[in-house]
Amino acid sequence: MRYLAPYQTGLWLAEYFDIRCQLCRTYRSVPQPQLAHAYSSQDVESRGDAATQFLPSRPSSMAKYRQRFNSGLLCKHCHHSITWLPTPFTVDIAAGTILPIQAATYYDYPMRQAIRAFKYRENMTKLPLLLHTLRQLPRPHGCHKNNSVIVAMPTTEQRLIKRGFDPVLVLATQLSKHWQIPLWQGVARIDNTVSQQGLTRAERLSNLDNAFALIEKPPVKRLLLFDDVATTGASLQALGQAICSQTMPLTSDESHTTDYYHIRAYALAHGSQS
Ligand SMILES: [Zn+2]
């Protein structure tokens, strides 16, 4: 984790010493509290069954302490312009098992530009904006450091060499700190698939056949998958399918296979296919 230090330093500077909005650069006149815990249960109830799995739990005393000293990274106006929590959507990962996917925002301006600048050009000045948005994800109900892990979408060695860093892992590390839930890197990406960009849903799924291999057994039963952008959810679906198929006990009893692991997925942004 030592290589994450420069990202952390930049974030501290942005969070505690820069009093300007990370998006419009005006001075933040009104302290902007983090709204991750202010997500009302009424909003969730109106979103249907899939959404209820994302009910936030009460903030810990540590989270309250951090909120007090954290004035936020965006001005009120920008905060409200980007934090539209998309309705969760689901994909099938095994017979009778669905994977709910919750994104923090939509993959539109200005998030699209910020994500691309960070991901493809390692533009660190965009990281505070991405982190601010990431913190809007409702904390998964009932999940804590002793019963859950975050599984960042693994990258290929080829892509890691080309980029020199792993953007999804950097974001997942920040989510891990925010939720106080550890990261688990027990899945390897064994494919050398072409980029998912521009492919149809069917092409995306077949592109990801046998793309992931478990290198160790998950340490807990609750797995929170994370990716930067979920478009059709095909990558998260393939990762969820791989975990299900490689951890399911070989049994003819169907009831054993339905809820062996509790898997949910999160993304920074939900993109439209274009
Ligand atoms: Zn602003």
Side-chain angles (χ1 to χ4, degrees), residues 20-28 73-79 81:
R20 287 187 298 172
C21 170
Q22 293 293 319
L23 190 54
C24 68
R25 305 307 291 160
T26 57
Y27 287 91
R28 300 191 300 252
L73 293 159
L74 298 191
C75 72
K76 212 169 185 172
H77 173 79
C78 292
H79 173 83
S81 72

Side-chain angles (χ1 to χ4, degrees), residues 33-175:
Q34 298 298 310
L35 296 190
H37 300 296
Y39 186 59
S40 87
S41 55
Q42 206 179 358
D43 284 351
V44 175
E45 276 156 22
S46 65
R47 286 159 202 259
D49 288 339
T52 57
Q53 305 201 31
F54 298 102
L55 275 169
S57 56
R58 287 167 65 88
S60 65
S61 54
M62 180 50 117
K64 281 181 195 155
Y65 173 84
R66 285 160 62 142
Q67 277 173 25
R68 242 177 82 194
F69 290 94
N70 182 352
S71 61
L73 293 159
L74 298 191
C75 72
K76 212 169 185 172
H77 173 79
C78 292
H79 173 83
H80 289 297
S81 72
I82 61 157
T83 49
W84 292 86
L85 204 63
T87 305
F89 66 105
T90 60
V91 290
D92 291 318
I93 50 171
T97 308
I98 57 159
L99 176 69
I101 303 175
Q102 171 74 69
T105 190
Y106 291 100
Y107 192 50
D108 292 327
Y109 175 84
M111 289 307 295
R112 177 192 285 260
Q113 286 70 12
I115 291 172
R116 292 182 66 89
F118 176 63
K119 192 169 171 173
Y120 299 112
R121 300 194 301 277
E122 205 182 353
N123 184 336
M124 305 249 284
T125 65
K126 304 296 181 197
L127 193 54
L129 171 62
L130 305 188
L131 175 62
H132 180 94
T133 311
L134 202 57
R135 286 175 177 170
Q136 311 312 316
L137 278 174
R139 194 189 161 82
H141 183 62
C143 292
H144 53 75
K145 65 178 181 194
N146 298 321
N147 70 359
S148 313
V149 289
I150 296 175
V151 186
M153 177 61 66
T155 189
T156 62
E157 204 168 306
Q158 209 182 15
R159 223 171 285 168
L160 195 58
I161 291 167
K162 194 177 153 201
R163 284 190 189 146
F165 82 123
D166 183 351
V168 177
L169 187 59
V170 173
L171 294 170
T173 303
Q174 294 301 327
L175 188 63

